[in-house]
Amino acid sequence: MAWQSAGAFEISLADIDAARARIAGRVRRTPMEVSDDLSAIAGAPVHLKLEHHQITGSFKLRGAANAIEKLGEEARRRGIVGASTGNHGRALAHAGARAGVRTVICMSRLVPSNKVEAIYAEGGEVWIVGDSQNEAQNEAERLAADDGMIMLPPFDHPDIIAGQGTLGLEIIEEVPDLETLLIQLSGGGLAAGVALAVKSRKPNVRVVGVSMRRGAAMHASLAAGRPVEVKELPTLADSLGGGIGLRNRFTFAMVRALLDDVMLLDEPQIAEGIHHAYWKERQIVEGAGGVGIAVVLGGMVVNPGVTCLVLTGSNIDMGLHHRIAGGEAADLIGNRAGGGVSYDDDTHTP
Ligand SMILES: *Cc1c(COP(=O)(O)O)cnc(C)c1O
């Protein structure tokens, strides 16, 4: 396979090993548990990597910490700028504060106060600009161009991919007899890093990417054979929204070479994942965090063998979570699907 040839990608297992050493003490080694319910459904052990217990509530801290810890003195003095109001923004703010590097996250006036407060709480500066996240993104780019601040993208960057790959090292050490890995797929930083780590150690593991059907940019790009844009639609898996970038440099090629399959989920299935995580596994996950569970519940992988899936994040509006856990999901989806109404209260920046 292409990925096995040396130098096939910009990053290698050695980069992921180096990332692990670099971020040790900055990130948590998260628990791995077996789910009895899901194992019964799959007919084989299903292991859950509880990465939603990571500091900041998602795995994004691994990539952010690796990229920031790797910056030289000069870059550290200039500081970091970003426009993500979601898990990547939180992770940058946290890792920046820990490293003593100024971090500015640009946001539109319309970003809800809980998102603003989350960035503050992690130690980041918030810069309110304009009426859309596009304007905020432009301001972040201006700060990078004019003031020389460092922009760290959410997925398409070798240090981010290597950082996310550290999760893969933990997985293959904790489940050495792994046969099938279900991994969330949006921009592909997570899937690329984790698949590279896992397949470098154990080449015949089947790695299946999981996205939501509504606006699956990587899936559409793989089908087209090049990065393409898709219309962004509201989804319960909001952390999986957004494009892969028409000038994608790293993740598209890696995902294409490393993933064996991609599966797409409908909104009711995503709600089911959140619901099951809460009632059966006693875990609070966001929509993106529960999609691996939904794949198992739906029996979507035939004869998976020893399986691992990752609960990637817990950052969900708790009012929304309460409604889904209470079984309101059907109404919620019935009312909203195709209506162009956002489930959550904000833009879908990763
Ligand atoms: C960012 C994110 C993903 C997807 O990661 P990519 O590297 O963009 O593919 C999945 N789950 C959660 C909770 C996330 O925050």
Side-chain angles (χ1 to χ4, degrees), residues 124-348:
E125 280 177 44
V126 175
W127 202 305
I128 307 277
V129 272
D131 292 321
S132 73
Q133 269 315 102
N134 266 348
E135 284 178 64
Q137 177 67 35
N138 291 342
E139 176 65 7
E141 280 164 21
R142 194 195 63 74
L143 286 170
D146 297 355
D147 299 4
M149 296 188 81
I150 308 292
M151 273 260 250
L152 290 172
F155 53 86
D156 201 27
H157 187 290
D159 299 337
I160 301 286
I161 297 167
Q164 320 306 30
T166 64
L167 180 58
L169 295 178
E170 292 177 22
I171 288 171
I172 201 63
E173 287 164 9
E174 289 155 2
V175 189
D177 54 350
L178 182 64
E179 293 175 89
T180 298
L181 173 66
L182 306 177
I183 193 74
Q184 284 80 348
L185 180 63
S186 175
L190 173 69
V194 167
L196 180 62
V198 166
K199 289 201 169 185
S200 298
R201 293 282 178 84
K202 200 169 180 230
N204 53 3
V205 172
R206 180 174 179 200
V207 182
V208 178
V210 187
S211 305
M212 70 291 164
R213 195 175 297 283
R214 292 167 66 83
M218 184 63 88
H219 181 260
S221 301
L222 291 169
R226 65 187 159 82
V228 294
E229 272 174 352
V230 300
K231 190 167 163 8
E232 203 169 329
L233 296 166
T235 167
L236 281 174
D238 58 320
S239 289
L240 299 183
I244 70 163
L246 290 178
R247 284 170 302 174
N248 186 292
R249 292 181 58 201
F250 308 104
T251 60
F252 174 70
M254 291 182 74
V255 164
R256 181 159 63 170
L258 291 164
L259 264 55
D260 297 280
D261 207 350
V262 176
M263 295 189 169
L264 303 181
L265 297 177
D266 296 318
E267 296 300 301
Q269 292 182 285
I270 298 168
E272 233 186 297
I274 296 171
H275 190 271
H276 175 98
Y278 184 72
W279 289 104
K280 301 292 189 185
E281 315 296 343
R282 298 170 178 252
Q283 303 294 339
I284 292 174
V285 296
E286 55 178 283
V291 296
I293 290 177
V295 166
V296 176
L297 290 176
M300 294 169 75
V301 183
V302 181
N303 292 330
V306 176
T307 301
C308 178
L309 59 90
V310 183
L311 308 188
T312 49
S314 64
N315 292 321
I316 183 169
D317 175 85
M318 287 309 288
L320 177 64
H321 188 277
H322 185 77
R323 286 158 62 201
I324 294 171
E328 256 186 74
D331 303 347
L332 214 103
I333 290 150
N335 292 339
R336 307 271 185 117
V341 186
S342 180
Y343 294 106
D344 202 351
D345 34 19
D346 75 297
T347 56
H348 301 281

